[in-house]
Amino acid sequence: MFDVTLIHYLFLSAVLFCVGLLGVIVSRHLLRVLISVEFMLNAVNINFVAFSNYNDLIRLDGHIMAIFVMAIGVCELAIGLAILILVFRKTHSVDADGEYIEEEKWS
Amino acid sequence: MEFLNSAVFLIFAAMIIFSSVFAVFAHKIEYSVLSAVVCFLSVGALFLTLSADFIGASQIMIYGVGVSILLAFAIMFTGKDSPKSLYLTNPLRVFLGFVLVLTFLSVLIFFISPVLDPKSDGAFSSYGSFAAQIESIRQIGTAKFIGRRIFCDYVLPFELLSLLLLAGIVGVGYLAGGSKKDV
């Protein structure tokens, strides 16, 4: 077969990033938007680790950046899910287009 | 060995792409979350093939376990969808999104394809004096060297990251915790 090089990982990462971007634009469920943002962060992580493996295995900067991106992404996801739950409590809907039924009593 | 490398790469790349596309376009949000977890686990396995064992283990533990439980909790709290299922936005925005994303993907591929010669096999030959460290990374993994780098050169960002995580915990507990009237 072929020899796996850096450019294959870069193509894979570009495709994954574009799928995440498409999901952010297209989908109507707020949870799916958050999942798509995580796809984009994972694509960036693949780029970092691939560059670190093929060019910079001495200083390992790509690995450390990947750890930071991972921690910040999970923090962002947790806060986003908390906001999602708050929005659901207020409006009884998780529609990203904002078409929800106005409740009489805000519980 | 070369066949094995390319076969593993192709299998996990196909799993990543198919599961991410299915997660974006699945009709039910439960299928979407399960497919996203498959995608995260495949990314973790791909990290393992890049001789990044610490990052791969972190990815599998954080995304494959923690994030999936968080998403399951979010589904549990938000309950069922509203009567009309939330799938895609209006067709005009879907069409414009496809156009934008395909343009962006072609621009990305246009920029990354001529940069790197596919025959280049890394730049290890220029690290002659560090051959011992590369050999020990191949043998014992990267965790030792990552720890040394973090606690020597990246101490301040690491501590700021811990502050950010603490603020995230407090903020999530404040936002999503039960309402004050019930107490």
Side-chain angles (χ1 to χ4, degrees), chain B residues 2-178:
Chain B
E2 185 175 311
F3 173 77
L4 196 61
N5 277 339
S6 53
V8 167
F9 174 77
L10 281 181
I11 288 171
F12 284 117
M15 278 177 67
I16 285 172
I17 291 174
F18 283 135
S19 61
S20 60
V21 169
F22 186 72
V24 170
F25 290 106
H27 272 277
K28 299 180 70 172
I29 190 66
E30 292 89 356
Y31 297 160
S32 178
V33 167
L34 284 178
S35 174
V37 170
V38 170
C39 179
F40 294 150
L41 290 176
S42 306
V43 171
L46 203 70
F47 285 159
L48 293 182
T49 69
L50 279 169
S51 73
D53 47 359
F54 185 73
I55 306 293
S58 305
Q59 170 88 16
I60 290 173
M61 279 193 293
I62 293 173
Y63 278 98
V65 179
V67 167
S68 60
I69 291 175
L70 264 182
L71 294 174
F73 265 115
I75 288 181
M76 193 184 80
F77 275 116
T78 55
K80 291 166 34 172
D81 282 348
S82 51
K84 57 174 182 176
S85 177
L86 299 174
Y87 180 40
L88 296 178
T89 52
N90 49 345
L92 176 64
R93 213 205 295 177
V94 172
F95 175 70
L96 288 182
F98 267 103
V99 170
L100 174 70
V101 166
L102 286 180
T103 312
F104 185 63
L105 181 62
S106 57
V107 168
L108 273 181
I109 288 178
F110 174 75
F111 275 114
I112 66 176
S113 51
V115 169
L116 299 157
D117 184 13
K119 294 180 180 59
S120 72
D121 53 346
F124 290 150
S125 57
S126 62
Y127 293 138
S129 59
F130 292 102
Q133 183 183 343
I134 289 177
E135 187 57 36
S136 78
I137 280 179
R138 295 276 184 229
Q139 284 178 359
I140 67 171
T142 56
K144 178 182 169 187
F145 302 99
I146 287 176
R148 196 178 286 161
R149 281 289 284 172
I150 281 181
F151 287 102
C152 288
D153 302 324
Y154 286 91
V155 173
L156 184 60
F158 189 70
E159 298 298 329
L160 287 179
L161 188 66
S162 66
L163 268 184
L164 175 75
L165 286 177
L166 181 65
I169 291 171
V170 174
V172 168
Y174 177 72
L175 282 178

Side-chain angles (χ1 to χ4, degrees), chain A residues 28 87-95 97-107, chain B residues 80-84 86:
Chain A
R28 244 184 105 180
V87 167
F88 182 77
R89 272 189 203 151
K90 294 287 186 198
T91 67
H92 293 280
S93 167
V94 283
D95 195 349
D97 285 355
E99 295 174 1
Y100 50 81
I101 307 157
E102 281 288 345
E103 290 287 321
E104 289 293 325
K105 186 167 73 71
W106 290 56
S107 59
Chain B
K80 291 166 34 172
D81 282 348
S82 51
K84 57 174 182 176
L86 299 174

